Amino acid sequence: MSAAIFSQEKLLFTPQTPKNDAIPLIFAFPNEYTVGITSLGYQIVWSTLAMREDVDISRLFTDIHETLPRSVEIVGFSVSWELDYVNILNLLESLSIPIFSQDRTECHPLVFGGGPVLTANPEPFADFFDVILLGDGENLLDSFIDTYQQVRNADRKTKLITLAQTPGIYIPSLYTVEYHSNDGAIAAIQPVSSEVPPVVQKQTYRGNILSASTVVTPKAAWESIFMVEVVRSCPEMCRFCLASYLTLPFRTASLEASLIPAIERGLQVTNRLGLLGASVTQHPEFPDLLAYINQSKYDDVRLSIASVRTNTVTPELAKTLAQRDTKSLTIAVESGSEKVRRIINKKLAQADIIQAAINAKIGGLSALKLYGMVGIPGEENTDLDATVEMMLAMKKAAPGLKLTLGCSTFVPKSHTPFQWFGVNQQAEKRLQYLQKNLKPKGIDFRPESYNWSVIQALLSRGDRRLSRLLILTRNFGDSLGSYKRAFKELKGEIPDLDFYVYTDWSYEQILPWQHLQGPLPQSTLLKHLKEAMEVKDSY
Ligand code: SF4
């Protein structure tokens, strides 16, 4: 089965033939092929390593794999979804590799991980990895392999200590974490020796050539899509937003040097184009990009856009999408309340939101989906009424346009100004309130699972003590009930669920990721938090 699936891939890069002494490396995605191959991050790491003649790479997914080497030296994982940790542990076992890093010996490969989940907060998973790559892969991946080559024949300890000295490479086992008590906060995080840097700096790529698909296949979750990264990060800095804060600064791909050549390459093998990025329409040359795609030679191209800032929904954009097989557009407004939007630094007026609906309709789209959030710090019940009113005003302004409000619960994320806040215990009730008030008025309301938000918050603010809990929930299943059961079993040995999820943390508290430096210093995050609270207090 594997061969039949891999044979449908159209490669947009040229893999090198590995040299005789190339490093045998397995690069895994801890989910099925169709999910993994749709991850642009996975594609890029795979192709970067496959273009090195000193690496002999084989791909591994949970359902299929390429021919695996008999004796592997490095095993890597690209992690984009927290709950895939279960699959990481299963894959390690299937390769006869101990799941805890401390149990691996000279005869085992080095296990590395990277990707958005580990870059945000690797700590709950830290005990499973020997090496974690923090930040953009562009330069980091090559420096990882280059450094490894220098110590390839050394013992495991020397390898790890040498790798730890490379910027962006985090070796969890070389840091000790002390706690005030078994179930208390962190007291100190320290490197084990003076050779290990006390702080690991996440790496930032600063070029203007951003990534694009290196493989197109009908078996991808988005069938035969060619993806192009238009922007990286988002300049808006909504105070809760990991997609912005963790990846700053905002970078844009050069139209001439990056976007057009990539699109030309990709559209030779498919007619489905996806424009990716946290804030695609904020590219300064976005109208030119749209004009380029609107050429008659691309008339049959189906276009998808990942995210659109509300006040950039023009009739022209809506028209282009409608003509190219996209019937619906998604905008994130977070809340119908001006106060809440100001607290989170969402620079969006009510009139812009209404206008987006009108423009979507004029352009010929049939549906508009909005993203909202409940439980944002400072939100009160009256703010929910403002959201209901906003939806009704949109319905009135653009009759016939199908409106959907998808709504999540605020989850604190590391490296953002709101990382110190816990989840609001009222959030579930607030989701129900919106449901009750929107459904009868003909507005499709799609709440995201509150229980899933609780699990996300737990992993988002978790520390290393959670690895024991994850081993238990692995067997119990991935429902919130399983996590609660595991907490019960470990009562007194680790903090409780409330500590990680619901408690507001003190600003003096040592954070689990304190030794991992994101783009902004803590002082800036605190300044942004203070500004948000000043807005809240002004109402
Ligand atoms: S506009 Fe969207 S992507 Fe940008 S910071 Fe705000 S929530 Fe994040």
Side-chain angles (χ1 to χ4, degrees):
M1 181 178 86
S2 301
I5 290 178
F6 290 127
S7 70
Q8 294 181 53
E9 294 180 335
K10 289 181 187 150
L11 298 195
L12 292 150
F13 72 102
T14 312
Q16 290 282 318
T17 306
K19 291 191 299 195
N20 282 343
D21 62 346
I23 304 162
L25 184 151
I26 294 176
F27 185 49
F29 191 91
N31 209 311
E32 292 178 355
Y33 172 82
T34 163
V35 181
I37 207 64
T38 316
S39 156
L40 187 55
Y42 182 81
Q43 289 189 11
I44 298 296
V45 175
W46 166 54
S47 58
T48 305
L49 295 175
M51 283 191 286
R52 290 184 67 122
E53 56 177 15
D54 61 349
V55 172
D56 187 359
I57 188 168
S58 319
R59 287 176 294 162
L60 170 65
F61 302 89
T62 53
D63 50 349
I64 61 168
H65 58 82
E66 292 176 318
T67 308
L68 301 180
R70 214 169 295 148
S71 155
V72 58
E73 274 181 52
I74 300 178
V75 175
F77 289 92
S78 172
V79 192
S80 337
W81 194 48
E82 291 91 337
L83 296 188
D84 277 346
Y85 82 86
V86 174
N87 295 331
I88 297 177
L89 303 183
N90 293 344
L91 287 172
L92 286 172
E93 281 177 348
S94 74
L95 295 167
S96 304
I97 301 170
I99 53 179
F100 282 105
S101 147
Q102 64 182 28
D103 297 332
R104 294 176 201 140
T105 64
E106 297 297 336
C107 66
H108 294 116
L110 284 188
V111 176
F112 82 90
V117 169
L118 296 176
T119 300
N121 176 22
E123 288 310 284
F125 316 100
D127 290 344
F128 308 137
F129 290 95
D130 302 309
V131 176
I132 292 176
L133 306 181
L134 297 178
D136 295 332
E138 272 88 354
N139 305 325
L140 190 50
L141 214 49
D142 282 332
S143 51
F144 169 47
I145 299 296
D146 291 345
T147 311
Y148 178 81
Q149 284 287 18
Q150 291 164 24
V151 284
R152 189 173 174 191
N153 297 316
D155 58 67
R156 198 173 178 87
K157 192 168 166 220
T158 309
K159 278 183 190 142
L160 293 178
I161 290 195
T162 310
L163 285 166
Q165 293 162 14
T166 310
I169 297 187
Y170 170 44
I171 311 291
S173 60
L174 297 182
Y175 296 80
T176 52
V177 185
E178 288 164 30
Y179 306 96
H180 288 295
S181 62
N182 278 354
D183 55 2
I186 295 172
I189 305 176
Q190 273 159 347
V192 295
S193 79
S194 58
E195 293 163 289
V196 179
V199 171
V200 185
Q201 177 78 46
K202 182 186 159 297
Q203 295 301 288
T204 305
Y205 165 70
R206 294 188 185 266
N208 65 357
I209 312 276
L210 297 185
S211 52
S213 286
T214 54
V215 55
V216 170
T217 169
K219 296 292 178 196
W222 296 330
E223 197 186 319
S224 295
I225 194 159
F226 176 77
M227 297 174 281
V228 190
E229 188 185 20
V230 179
V231 296
R232 196 171 291 181
S233 194
C234 172
E236 294 299 313
M237 299 166 86
C238 298
R239 302 312 191 205
F240 60 84
C241 182
L242 190 68
S244 174
Y245 274 89
L246 185 66
T247 54
L248 288 169
F250 179 57
R251 285 147 288 165
T252 59
S254 152
L255 190 64
E256 297 300 329
S258 181
L259 294 172
I260 290 180
I263 292 171
E264 271 177 359
R265 214 168 49 238
L267 292 184
Q268 279 170 17
V269 298
T270 183
N271 70 347
R272 186 160 183 204
L273 178 64
L275 303 182
L276 262 55
S279 188
V280 169
T281 49
Q282 265 168 300
H283 190 291
E285 291 166 297
F286 188 76
D288 299 332
L289 177 62
L290 214 54
Y292 173 78
I293 296 168
N294 274 333
Q295 293 175 79
S296 57
K297 70 169 173 172
Y298 293 145
D299 271 352
D300 69 335
V301 169
R302 294 163 66 198
L303 178 67
S304 323
I305 296 191
S307 59
V308 173
R309 188 160 148 69
T310 306
N311 53 8
T312 56
V313 181
T314 57
E316 293 72 36
L317 173 67
K319 191 167 159 229
T320 304
L321 287 167
Q323 280 168 351
R324 290 171 183 284
D325 217 29
T326 295
K327 299 284 167 261
S328 166
L329 197 60
T330 303
I331 53 175
V333 297
E334 316 312 342
S335 172
S337 154
E338 175 93 28
K339 175 192 101 185
V340 173
R341 291 200 304 271
R342 283 194 56 214
I343 289 175
I344 59 175
N345 192 35
K346 189 121 211 157
K347 298 166 276 297
L348 195 59
Q350 202 82 349
D352 293 333
I353 302 173
I354 308 285
Q355 194 61 43
I358 295 170
N359 291 351
K361 192 179 171 201
I362 294 174
L365 293 176
S366 56
L368 186 67
K369 185 169 180 190
L370 292 92
Y371 275 138
M373 195 183 268
V374 295
I376 290 169
E379 179 191 69
E380 296 165 295
N381 287 340
T382 47
D383 298 310
L384 303 179
D385 294 328
T387 298
V388 173
E389 280 160 28
M390 173 191 74
M391 294 306 297
L392 296 180
M394 290 174 87
K395 193 168 180 237
K396 201 167 157 207
L401 186 72
K402 183 174 182 300
L403 292 175
T404 302
L405 176 64
C407 197
S408 62
T409 295
F410 161 74
V411 169
K413 298 284 185 179
S414 56
H415 305 288
T416 68
F418 283 4
Q419 63 187 351
W420 289 277
F421 286 116
V423 170
N424 187 321
Q425 310 245 29
Q426 298 301 314
E428 191 171 22
K429 279 207 186 95
R430 292 185 183 179
L431 288 172
Q432 288 160 357
Y433 181 86
L434 286 178
Q435 170 116 347
K436 208 172 104 210
N437 285 278
L438 287 171
K439 276 251 155 105
K441 311 251 169 61
I443 291 173
D444 188 13
F445 182 68
R446 305 256 175 100
E448 213 177 74
S449 153
Y450 169 76
N451 287 353
W452 166 229
S453 301
V454 171
I455 297 173
Q456 268 186 300
L458 168 68
L459 296 174
S460 162
R461 292 209 300 180
D463 55 48
R464 284 183 192 193
R465 288 171 289 189
L466 287 190
S467 63
R468 292 178 60 204
L469 182 104
L470 295 180
I471 296 290
L472 286 176
T473 47
R474 177 192 181 196
N475 302 317
F476 295 167
D478 59 13
S479 70
L480 181 57
S482 305
Y483 281 82
K484 287 186 172 162
R485 188 176 150 200
F487 269 110
K488 224 177 194 171
E489 279 200 21
L490 295 173
K491 196 168 167 43
E493 296 174 43
I494 64 169
D496 57 14
L497 182 76
D498 274 20
F499 169 85
Y500 291 112
V501 175
Y502 297 110
T503 312
D504 289 344
W505 284 357
S506 113
Y507 307 140
E508 282 75 45
Q509 196 166 316
I510 293 179
L511 301 166
W513 48 89
Q514 197 96 352
H515 54 313
L516 309 173
Q517 179 61 55
L520 296 178
Q522 180 144 322
S523 54
T524 309
L525 300 182
L526 279 168
K527 187 171 154 261
H528 290 178
L529 172 67
K530 195 167 153 257
E531 282 166 14
M533 291 305 100
E534 278 167 7
V535 174
K536 171 178 145 299
D537 294 340
S538 71
Y539 277 86

